[in-house]
Every structure is written in C-alpha cells, then in structure tokens.
Amino acid sequence: MAGQTTLSRRAVLGATAGAGLATLLSGCGGSPGPRSSALQVWGGVPGASGPDELVAGFEEQHPGEKVAYTRFVNDDRGNLKLDTALQGGVDIDVYFTYNSTAMALRAGSGVALDLTDRVRADPALAPYLDTQAPRATVVDGQMVALATAREPYFVLVNEALREQAGVDLPRAWDVDDFHEMARALTRPGVHGAYSVPDTARVSLGANYWYAPDGGSNFGDPAFLEWLQLGRTMIDEGSAYPWTEVLARQLAAYQQNPFLQGEFALWPTAPFNLRYLNEPEDYPHDFRVAAAPVPRTARGDWNAGQFNNFIMINPRSTKLDLAWEFVRYWVTDGARAMLGGGKIPALDVLPDEEVLAGVLKEDPERFFDVDSFRHAMFTSEPKLMTDTNLTAVPEISLAVEQQRDLCWIGERTPAEAVSTIDELADAAIRRNQRKA
Amino acid sequence: MTSVTLDTLDRTRLRARRRRRSRWAVGIPLWILALGFLTPFLWMLSTSFKRDIDAYTVPMQWIPDPVQLSNYATVLLGEDSILPAFANSVLVALLRVAGELLTATMAGYAFARLSFRGRDKIFLVYLATAIIPSQLLLVPRFIYFQQLGLYDTLWALILPGMFTVLGTFLMRQFFVAQPPEFAEAARMDGASEWRIFTRIYLPLARPVMAALGILAFVWSWNDYETPLVLISSPEAYTLPLSLTSFTDEQGALSPGLAMAASVVTIVPVLVVFLLLQRRFVQALTHTGIK
Amino acid sequence: MAITSKPLPAARVLEPPLARATTARGNPSQPPGWVGWAFLAPNLLGVLAFTLVPLLSVVGLSLTSWNLVSGLSGIEFVGLQNFVDLFVDPGFWNATLRTVLYAGISVPLTVVGGLGLALALNRDVPGRAVLRVIFFLPYIVTVVAIGMVWLMLLNPSAGVVNQLLGAFGLQDLPGWFASSHWALPALIIIAIWSGVGYASMIYLSALTDAPTQLYEAAQVDGAGAWTRFRTITWPSLVPTTVFLLVTLFIGASQGFGLIALITAGGPGDATTVVSYYMYQNGFQFYRFGYAAAIGMATFAGVLALTVLTWRAQRGRTLHD
C-alpha cells in the first residue's frame, strides 16, 4: 500500500509539474515566429538529390544571403502541409508544385505571385513566354509558375532480354510496333512490357481530358483504345498482370520487377534512371537502352510534360531575393539538379552535359548511351503543359479507379470509359457551378 | 484417518497435474496463434537488414540476403538521423501520458463516483466530441493554434494530448465498476474527497492506469497527421515525421530505411509496455492464481 | 480461499455497478456538487480549449464551400447545400454501406476475440508476459509494416494464405486486394487481427482480483465454467465492453490509415469507406465544406449507435 501511494503521488506530482510548465510556456510562444533572415524555400526533392548543392551555389553567388530549403513529401498529405502553411502565413518565400492537382488549386488562389513582368524583362527567360508549348502556368493572363524541369517519357529496354529475343531496338515506332515487340519479348517468366504508354495522351496532347466546349472528352475513341490495348496485352501475357500490380503495389516500385527481369519494356520517365546505375543497392546484370515513346495514328506527343513548377509566395517579404533565387534555379542552378534526374526546362546546358549528368558515372556500363541521346534529345520529344485544370483531382481518381477495374478484368473497356466519362462530366459541371 | 490424508494428498496431486496439463493445453495453441501476430514485427526486423530491391519479393524472403547494417547506420548516424526526433517524441509522449493520467483519472472519477448537476449530459457531449473524425480537426486546429502562437512548437502536440475524451471514458468505465461503499465508509470517518480518491480509488485503478498509460504513449508515439500539419521545422519533428526523409521524390518509402527506423522506434514502446504490463501481472498475483 | 473474508466483491456482483452509478445521485453521503466540478475541471477546460473550439468550427464549415487555398476570406456560406448534395451522392451512400459492413463485422468479432484472448492470457500459461506483448504488437507496429506484410501474405498467386487454401483443395482462390469483391473482407480480417490485442489489453486491465476469488469459491461450490463466467466475470466486464464497442466503432468509422496505405480505396471504389471518402473530398479534392458535411453525417450515425449501445447495456444491467 505504501509503495502504491508513493508511486501515484510521484506520478501526480510529475504530471502537475508538466501541466504547469505547459501553461507557462504556451504563453510565451510568438505567432508564426519572427520572420527569419533566410530565404525560405519548400520543395519536394530530397535535399541531397540536388537542392542542397544548388542552394550552396546560390549562396556563393550572393554573399551575405542565406537560403533554408525545407523538404515536403510530394503526396496528398505533404501537399496539404504546404497548403495550410501557405494559407496560415507561415514564412515561405519560394515553393514547388509537382502535380496538376495541386497546381489547379494554387494557381488561382492568391498564393502565387504574378511573374509576367519579371519574365518579360529578362531575355534569358524568353522561352517561358512561348504559348505553343508552354513551360509556364498562366492563369487569367498572369504567369504564376515556371517549369524548372522537363520530363520526356521514354520506353526503357532490358537489353539482355531484347538480344535473346533477337529483335531490334526501335528508333522510331508506333503503338502497333510496341505491341508486336512486347509479344516478341514475352516468354515463360517474362512479360513483354510493364504496361502501355498513355496512348490517348500521345494522340491528343495537352488538355486531353477536355472537349473543345470544356466538357468531358472521354467520348473520344483514343481513351477506349488505350484501355483496350492494355487489356488485350494483359490478357495475352505480353503486359504485366494488373492483379499483381495491385497486389504488390508495383505502381510505386516498378523498378524492382524490371531489375529482376520480370518484364522487358518499361514506359517511364528520367526520375527512375537512378535505380539503374546503383549496382550496390539495385544489382542487375544487363544494360538498359531507351526508345522514344511510340506514336499513334493520330499524334506523336511524347506524353511527358514540363514539370516541377517553381512559384513565389506573394506574401513574401523578400520578393526580389525570391525572384533572384527562382531565376538562379532555372538557369545557372540547373546543373546541380542533373544528378537527381532533372533535365532543365530551359536550354541552358548543352545536351551532352545533361545526358552525362543524368546517366552519372560510368554510363556505358549501365546504359546504351546513344539510345538515350536519341530518345531524350535528337528525336525531339514533343512535351506540353496542361492549361485546363478543371476538376483534375476528381478526374484522375476516376481514371485510376476504372483503369484498375478494367485491367483486372472486372469491367470491359467500354464500361470503364463510359463511367469515367460520366464522372468527369459531373465533376467538371460541379466545378463550373462553383466558379 | 490415514486414508483420509492419503485421499487429500492424492486429490492435491491430481489437481496440480490437471492444472499443469491445462497450462499447456491453453499455452500451446496460444503460442501458435502468437506466431501469426509476430509476423509483421519479424518482417520489419528482417527488412531493416535488406536492400530495398529485396524488400518486396514474393514469396516473402525472411532471411535477408545479403544482410546489411547500413540501413541502421543511415537512420541513426546519417544526415537525416532520427535521434533528434526521438528526443522530441520522448518529451511529447511523457508529458502527454502524465497529463492524461492525471486529468483523465480525475475526470473519469468525477463522472463515475461524484455527482453534480448536468453530469450525464456533459458526459454525452464528451463522448460526442470523440466521434467527430479527427482528420476534420486538422485544418481548424492549425488555424486556431496559429492564433494561439502554438504552431510549430511541441506544445501544439502536447497540450491537446493531455486532455482526452477517450482516456476519461476508459477511467469512468473502470470507476463505475468499483464499489461506492469504500467512499461512504471513508466519508463517515471524515476523510477528505481528495484523500478518498488518492488513497482508496487510485490504488485500485493501477491496472487500468497502466493500460491507459500504454495507450496514451502509443497514440502519441505513432501520431503522424497532427505533427504533419502543426509542425514545420525539422528541429521540432517527431519520429513519424522524421520517417518522411526516407521517402523519395514520388513519396515512396525506402523500405529498408523505414523499417530500420521503425525497429529503433518501436523499442521504447516495447520497453514501456513491458514495464507497465508488469502492473497487470502484479495486480493479478494478489489474487492467488498461482 | 475463504469467501467470507471478502464480502465486498460478492455484494458488488449482486448489485449491478452501472445502475448504482446512476442512483448514486441524491445520496446523502455524497459530497457537494463543486467537488465533482473540481475533479472534472482540468480535463474539461483542456477539452474545451483544444478540442471543442476547433470542433465547433467543423460544424460551421459543413455549411460552407471552401478549398483551403483561397484562405479564410474564401469561405463561402452555402447553407445546407452540402447536405443536399450528400443526400443524392451515390458515392457517399456506397461508402456508408461499406462502412456498416466493415464496422458491423469487424467490431463484434474484435471484442469477442479480445475477450477470449484476455481470458486465456489471464490464466497461468507459459510465457504469459511475453505473449501479452506479442498480441499487442499489431497495435504498436507501424502501419507501413502491417500493410506490407498483409499485402504479401494475401498475394493472390504466391501468398501464404492462398497457398494454404489451395493445399486444402480450394478452387477459385480469393483475389484479395486485386479483386473488388475480396478487398473489403481482407481489410476486415486485418482490422480484427490488429484490434484483438488492444481489446484484450483493456479487458485484462479490467479483470481485477475480485472475480477470481469468487471464481475459486464458485469452483468449490461446483459451478460450471460457463455459469462462473456468466454470473461472476461478465457483469464486471460490461462497462469495459461498452467502452470497447464504442471506441472500436468510432475507430472503424474514422480509421483509414491502412486503407490509404494498402488499397487507396480501390480496386475501383471497393474499399472506399466513409472515412476514406471524406479524406478524398477533403485532402485530395480540397472540398473542405463537403468533407465536413460527411464528417457531420458520420457523427450523427455513430452517435445514434453509441446511444443505442448505451441504452442496451443499461437495460441489461438493470435486469440482471
């Protein structure tokens, strides 16, 4: 009994002290904290994959200035963190937006500074004024975000499997050739391809979800063809079974089955190259080549985009310094980001340097370098930027859900595409009603 | 006379044997079942020694090949070491547990054993607040805490955790099952209410307080969303937040690093649990089950 | 063990504790009302300050249209529009149905499993202390590990579970997370598995010494195991069971960590329960007003269920 009371008394005492301390200290906390002297930059790329080096370069060029890079995880909740912070007046000067979902919200909401005049005043940034293949996000005539990177898609090829099958590495091809090659590469234990490229994107280019009148465009046969091709290839075994993709969550870890030779063709983008030249962590015994994205009868868009948009918070108290930093990132600083697989949005570096930077050390050991030169540069991939962002999150979800159901064989491509069409139409109408 | 003694001796021996047999009759199936509950922990342990490429192989690879310790080195000693976050998590969890034990036992006791006007109505409102999905509170809490000047301080995590509805509910349900006669007798003897609470009911509540302590610790330790929204500087990160440094640009976790960090993270929880659950055992040994 | 030496617990079983809690009011030996308030105050003030205030704003938010990024000035009052939309939103009703299935199956089974486990762990089994920790592990281990392990165990082609089922000669093995019919059952299994340790720990802490002493006495009297359980153990566990039912229902209506991690609501919308639907609307579509309305609807449903549970147990204890 005595022991018990001492224990509880001690616990009670400790707790009281804690509570008292808490009330005491909570009174002293200042609102968001004093504005720090450093420029506050929030981005999704891990500091070690380039930003740290870039920041060091900027500080060297601008003696006396400090930059603090905060990394947020580029997922739903990470973006929510950034958005609440932006809204709450947290000290953020420069930040990044990586997907159209987040861009749709931020671009028109007063959390993005209009950069038009600053861009106009700087001849080096002239490409951002291009409206043919825009590299900037323009909302109501205001340029609010600049792409820092371009992400040309390509099809990676397991060279060992290709040579065994005795097929040539394509330099220009269409979707039928892709299908045929996948079939040729398929044998017991190996699926020809991971999946099909977004052929609707290849056919239709930017804003492919929206009809000219602004409504849903999923009535376009391009979408049905895409789902149908995927389904056909999965059924015949020339594409990876989608049930396994779901059951093993491969969407996030496609590199593992590729490195283990479970499929031979991998439609993807440069950010996945980093798994291919790290023999310690990702051992494999074949070289990788790249082929351009196959074209369709209706178009030859690359399906890749200008991406990694940099934006300035209009509430920043250091607008000029923030602009200096943005300018540095898209020009002189771009070199630092190569190692993270970021190809600069502007042509500020020679292609050869970009190629060497992205493929890193000892490239010939892991890659057919010439095929990458072709796929990423000389074939001149046609990139784009979406300008219509209506209901993007809702439509993305509908597309993903119906694609999954179709490719695991529970719904026909026609059923899936008509459901997407309905959902997209409803979401677009709801968003227009609000606006 | 002798036959009677023999008889009782026999019966005692028989009962002892039967008890020993039932000990294993329950014990063996229980241990087999336990293996099923161990799998995630074993996988965590095994993956923490793996390269990322080996983590998700199907069928499962239980023994890492090759075994590598580098995940632990990165997690503990690397640039993004979780140790500072570890200290924050300990501080937050201890204060939350202490506060919760104090306020929840008192409030639970009040709801169960003291009477005042509107008691049951207030209790219903209490329960109702627990029903609102906590994710909905994130944004309002952010706005509100920023006004209070608590944003990006550990107090934003500690203070709400010290006063919880569920803890009060648990304690109330316990005290309600305790006999009020003790209090009545003590009041006749002139004991103060505080004394009745601390000397009579609190000692009875030790097993439940141990359980609540464990729960409060786990809630605090594993909370991801509250710190995600309320904390921005890395110096104030708690453990679940610090794990985000092991995700790639697309948001995919590095399984090896994440699991090594999780193993390091879970050890204190196990220690707390082992320490506190001795309190259950103690409570039960009084009963003479042995 | 002489039962006469401890008369109190016996009296306690005869007189149902919950009934007593309500009749305690008006008892002349009760201290004045301010004592109750004083005991309640620390917690009450904290809950008011840190939970109730932000919570009331959620109620307000459910009557607005707001996307967060437009700032506080962007909050637009829309009256009951969100609730009107909700009422005709098939996504919401489907999600509600799934939640009812998910909670309705997983919660009772978790409670029963937890009780069984607690009773087993309360006996003198070898390695009892370690066993208790093991069964509680799923509650502590990071949700990432749990998700990944179950994904592998339930892999349709190479997972252990289907291999076992196949060994028993079953054809047409479940597709689990790769099938819209089996994904929800798979989540229910995981919910039960990770909940029983929690339930058993709460039960264990409530199994104090009183019933065990009565047990031995009853054993001497020759009462059967079931009678002993029903008349001695169970009545003392009713308040705890209520706590578990209520908290587990709340948990099942709110929890989506595992869903976000394993299925993201899919395949299709097969595992989009209400909490995940709310998450999608709030955190993915940034429709905060609508998400708040979903939250309020969930609130109404769970509150009704809580009150029902409450009534049921009150009736039971009074008739005992």
Side-chain angles (χ1 to χ4, degrees):
Chain A
M1 190 66 187
Q4 289 171 6
T5 31
T6 3
L7 181 108
S8 55
R9 197 184 297 149
R10 205 187 305 141
V12 166
L13 266 176
T16 324
L21 204 65
T23 8
L24 202 78
L25 286 183
S26 67
C28 317
S31 199
R35 297 262 150 185
S36 79
S37 57
L39 188 76
Q40 299 291 329
V41 180
W42 283 39
V45 180
S49 311
D52 289 349
E53 192 189 328
L54 185 145
V55 163
F58 180 79
E59 286 175 341
E60 200 174 306
Q61 240 188 43
H62 298 76
E65 303 294 355
K66 281 265 161 247
V67 177
Y69 181 80
T70 303
R71 191 250 166 144
F72 66 92
V73 179
N74 179 31
D75 60 8
D76 295 338
R77 290 185 279 190
N79 277 298
L80 178 82
K81 179 193 180 97
L82 173 57
D83 286 324
T84 43
L86 277 174
Q87 254 332 301
V90 172
D91 190 8
I92 297 174
D93 300 297
V94 176
Y95 62 93
F96 275 84
T97 299
Y98 298 91
N99 57 57
S100 7
T101 308
M103 182 59 87
L105 288 156
R106 289 172 196 153
S109 298
V111 291
L113 186 74
D114 179 8
L115 305 173
T116 320
D117 294 338
R118 293 179 194 260
V119 172
R120 283 228 173 90
D122 194 332
L125 304 182
Y128 283 117
L129 300 169
D130 177 17
T131 47
Q132 287 299 107
R135 301 169 200 219
T137 302
V138 178
V139 175
D140 302 328
Q142 301 193 342
M143 188 174 290
V144 292
L146 305 183
T148 62
R150 60 182 124 164
E151 272 177 359
Y153 275 60
F154 40 52
V155 178
L156 296 183
V157 185
N158 177 327
E159 283 289 84
L161 291 174
R162 183 185 65 78
E163 278 156 21
Q164 277 170 31
V167 285
D168 289 333
L169 183 69
R171 290 181 70 86
W173 55 340
D174 65 15
V175 172
D176 293 333
D177 301 329
F178 172 82
H179 187 180
E180 201 175 304
M181 183 164 173
R183 263 193 292 215
L185 289 163
T186 302
R187 54 188 177 79
V190 180
H191 302 281
Y194 169 70
S195 179
V196 287
D198 190 349
T199 57
R201 191 58 128 169
V202 173
S203 294
L204 305 174
N207 305 324
Y208 70 147
W209 288 345
Y210 308 95
D213 68 353
S216 156
N217 196 33
F218 287 91
D220 191 294
F223 294 97
L224 183 64
E225 282 160 20
W226 166 63
L227 283 175
Q228 184 64 64
L229 177 63
R231 175 72 174 268
T232 309
M233 289 180 64
I234 290 164
D235 286 349
E236 72 189 13
S238 65
Y240 208 77
W242 207 252
T243 46
E244 282 297 307
V245 170
L246 294 187
R248 288 168 61 182
Q249 287 198 325
L250 287 184
Y253 301 100
Q254 298 164 29
Q255 68 275 8
N256 294 347
F258 179 70
L259 290 173
Q260 284 156 347
E262 293 185 49
F263 58 80
L265 299 176
W266 185 18
T268 184
F271 54 76
N272 271 327
L273 290 177
R274 69 201 144 102
Y275 298 112
L276 306 179
N277 48 16
E278 278 189 37
E280 290 279 305
D281 293 331
Y282 291 93
H284 56 288
D285 49 10
F286 56 87
R287 291 210 314 166
V288 176
V293 169
R295 55 164 299 148
T296 67
R298 291 172 63 190
D300 59 353
W301 288 96
N302 170 272
Q305 302 218 33
F306 290 101
N307 206 328
N308 297 237
F309 288 91
I310 196 166
M311 306 166 86
I312 296 181
N313 184 356
R315 295 201 215 174
S316 163
T317 53
K318 314 182 194 64
L319 289 180
D320 289 330
L321 184 64
W323 171 251
E324 267 307 300
F325 184 75
V326 167
R327 202 184 166 285
Y328 180 80
W329 193 298
V330 297
T331 56
D332 300 351
R335 183 174 283 115
M337 298 299 292
L338 288 177
K342 299 293 178 194
I343 303 172
L346 299 181
D347 299 314
V348 287
L349 298 173
D351 289 353
E352 282 307 311
E353 188 178 346
V354 174
L355 190 65
V358 171
L359 299 182
K360 296 193 206 161
E361 299 109 69
D362 209 358
E364 286 294 347
R365 178 175 159 208
F366 304 107
F367 300 108
D368 174 349
V369 176
D370 185 55
S371 72
F372 278 89
R373 182 177 296 118
H374 175 70
M376 293 199 298
F377 301 107
T378 48
S379 66
E380 294 185 358
K382 275 168 72 180
L383 303 185
M384 73 219 144
T385 302
D386 285 324
T387 50
N388 188 346
L389 300 173
T390 316
V392 164
E394 286 95 328
I395 300 176
S396 319
L397 181 70
V399 171
E400 269 166 43
Q401 288 184 338
Q402 296 302 317
R403 174 204 61 196
D404 287 353
L405 289 177
C406 172
W407 287 357
I408 62 178
E410 291 187 9
R411 307 200 74 196
T412 66
E415 285 167 349
V417 92
S418 86
T419 305
I420 300 174
D421 194 32
E422 274 167 39
L423 291 172
D425 242 343
I428 290 169
R429 254 183 287 120
R430 196 177 52 235
N431 274 267
Q432 281 167 345
R433 184 184 77 190
K434 248 190 304 190
Chain B
M1 183 70 192
T2 37
S3 69
V4 171
T5 332
L6 256 180
D7 197 37
T8 27
L9 257 179
D10 268 1
R11 216 188 290 165
T12 327
R13 218 175 284 155
L14 197 73
R15 203 183 294 165
R17 196 186 303 157
R18 204 182 294 155
R19 192 174 289 169
R20 221 177 302 134
R21 205 180 296 154
S22 90
R23 216 176 152 235
W24 286 104
V26 179
I28 290 173
L30 220 48
W31 270 102
I32 293 173
L33 196 62
L35 281 182
F37 282 73
L38 259 181
T39 43
F41 183 73
L42 293 179
W43 182 79
M44 197 168 100
L45 203 62
S46 142
T47 305
S48 69
F49 293 103
K50 284 181 194 166
R51 298 174 304 188
D52 281 348
I53 193 175
D54 301 323
Y56 298 142
T57 45
V58 173
M60 269 190 226
Q61 188 193 57
W62 286 105
I63 310 292
D65 174 35
V67 174
Q68 57 166 25
L69 295 167
S70 65
N71 292 331
Y72 283 94
T74 310
V75 159
L76 291 174
L77 311 169
E79 207 172 320
D80 295 316
S81 163
I82 62 169
L83 291 179
F86 203 97
N88 287 336
S89 272
V90 170
L91 179 72
V92 170
L94 288 184
L95 286 177
R96 277 178 66 160
V97 169
E100 166 120 37
L101 282 180
L102 177 73
T103 69
T105 45
M106 285 173 62
Y109 180 70
F111 278 129
R113 280 282 153 263
L114 299 169
S115 65
F116 49 92
R117 283 187 73 182
R119 180 184 74 176
D120 293 352
K121 286 197 188 89
I122 297 176
F123 185 66
L124 264 185
V125 174
Y126 247 64
L127 270 191
T129 62
I131 297 172
I132 297 266
S134 51
Q135 290 85 34
L136 276 183
L137 284 177
L138 286 178
V139 172
R141 233 183 214 167
F142 167 85
I143 295 168
Y144 178 62
F145 276 28
Q146 212 188 13
Q147 305 291 323
L148 295 181
L150 296 178
Y151 175 74
D152 206 18
T153 71
L154 290 179
W155 296 115
L157 312 179
I158 297 166
L159 288 174
M162 293 172 94
F163 316 96
T164 71
V165 170
L166 287 185
T168 306
F169 186 21
L170 179 65
M171 293 314 298
R172 179 209 180 262
Q173 294 303 82
F174 172 78
F175 284 122
V176 121
Q178 302 309 308
E181 287 83 358
F182 293 158
E184 282 154 21
R187 269 182 210 122
M188 303 250 192
D189 294 346
S192 74
E193 290 301 323
W194 181 251
R195 206 179 153 78
I196 294 173
F197 172 62
T198 53
R199 290 300 166 89
I200 298 178
Y201 288 100
L202 268 191
L204 283 177
R206 286 201 331 174
V208 190
M209 287 176 71
L212 178 58
I214 291 169
L215 287 180
F217 193 93
V218 173
W219 291 334
S220 170
W221 202 251
N222 289 343
D223 189 7
Y224 173 63
E225 276 158 358
T226 322
L228 177 82
V229 173
L230 296 179
I231 298 290
S232 71
S233 7
E235 303 80 57
Y237 273 14
T238 52
L239 281 169
L241 273 191
S242 73
L243 286 191
T244 56
S245 20
F246 310 123
T247 54
D248 70 13
E249 213 188 308
Q250 273 76 40
L253 269 178
S254 153
L257 293 178
M259 290 308 121
S262 302
V263 171
V264 176
T265 303
I266 206 175
V267 169
V269 187
L270 288 180
V271 170
V272 168
F273 188 91
L274 270 169
L275 282 180
L276 286 186
Q277 73 101 44
R278 264 182 43 225
R279 305 262 157 225
F280 308 150
V281 181
Q282 249 174 1
L284 290 161
T285 45
H286 290 308
T287 68
I289 278 191
K290 280 197 187 153
Chain C
M1 183 68 57
I3 191 163
T4 41
S5 69
K6 267 219 168 187
L8 221 49
R12 178 177 145 202
V13 173
L14 295 176
E15 210 179 323
L18 263 171
R20 232 200 272 128
T22 46
T23 53
R25 199 188 303 186
N27 188 324
S29 78
Q30 273 286 324
W34 67 265
V35 176
W37 283 106
F39 271 82
L40 182 58
N43 192 269
L44 182 67
L45 293 178
V47 168
L48 281 178
F50 300 116
T51 306
L52 210 63
V53 170
L55 205 141
L56 289 177
S57 61
V58 173
V59 180
L61 213 51
S62 70
L63 303 174
T64 68
S65 164
W66 187 43
N67 74 355
L68 173 71
V69 230
S70 58
L72 292 181
S73 57
I75 299 182
E76 184 195 345
F77 183 77
V78 295
L80 293 175
Q81 186 61 46
N82 287 326
F83 292 95
V84 174
D85 289 350
L86 201 58
F87 193 74
V88 294
D89 178 356
F92 170 71
W93 290 110
N94 288 335
T96 304
L97 185 67
R98 283 182 210 111
T99 310
V100 170
L101 269 176
Y102 175 74
I105 298 175
S106 68
V107 171
L109 289 178
T110 305
V111 171
V112 171
L115 179 59
L117 201 58
L119 292 175
L121 286 173
N122 201 27
R123 300 167 68 120
D124 182 24
V125 288
R128 186 167 66 174
V130 180
L131 277 175
R132 283 180 183 162
V133 179
I134 292 178
F135 284 110
F136 193 58
L137 269 176
Y139 199 75
I140 319 176
V141 173
T142 157
V143 76
V144 178
I146 290 178
M148 292 324 302
V149 166
W150 276 99
L151 270 168
M152 287 189 258
L153 291 175
L154 292 177
N155 184 291
S157 54
V160 177
V161 173
N162 274 10
Q163 281 175 350
L164 279 178
L165 293 178
F168 285 117
L170 259 81
Q171 305 289 316
D172 264 343
L173 295 172
W176 301 119
F177 293 116
S179 146
S180 58
H181 309 292
W182 286 101
L184 197 63
L187 282 175
I188 291 175
I189 292 174
I190 301 177
I192 297 171
W193 170 87
S194 51
V196 287
Y198 160 77
S200 77
M201 187 188 69
I202 304 278
Y203 269 131
L204 272 174
S205 73
L207 284 168
T208 42
D209 50 0
T212 9
Q213 287 174 348
L214 285 177
Y215 244 77
E216 303 219 332
Q219 208 162 13
V220 173
D221 294 347
W226 172 244
T227 320
R228 274 181 280 148
F229 172 77
R230 207 177 55 84
T231 57
I232 303 172
T233 314
W234 178 244
S236 74
L237 292 179
V238 168
T240 306
T241 309
V242 171
F243 172 81
L244 282 173
L245 282 174
V246 171
T247 54
L248 285 171
F249 270 118
I250 292 175
S253 71
Q254 295 191 359
F256 69 92
L258 214 57
I259 295 179
L261 196 80
I262 299 185
T263 65
D269 57 357
T271 53
T272 305
V273 293
V274 168
S275 55
Y276 195 74
Y277 194 63
M278 187 190 79
Y279 171 80
Q280 283 177 337
N281 275 281
F283 291 9
Q284 293 182 337
F285 307 164
Y286 277 41
R287 298 173 68 193
F288 280 91
Y290 199 61
I294 297 174
M296 296 310 298
T298 317
F299 170 76
V302 180
L303 188 65
L305 214 63
T306 307
V307 172
L308 277 180
T309 319
W310 202 253
R311 290 249 171 90
Q313 58 97 46
R314 192 170 276 184
R316 175 137 333 147
T317 30
L318 280 176
H319 289 297
D320 251 353

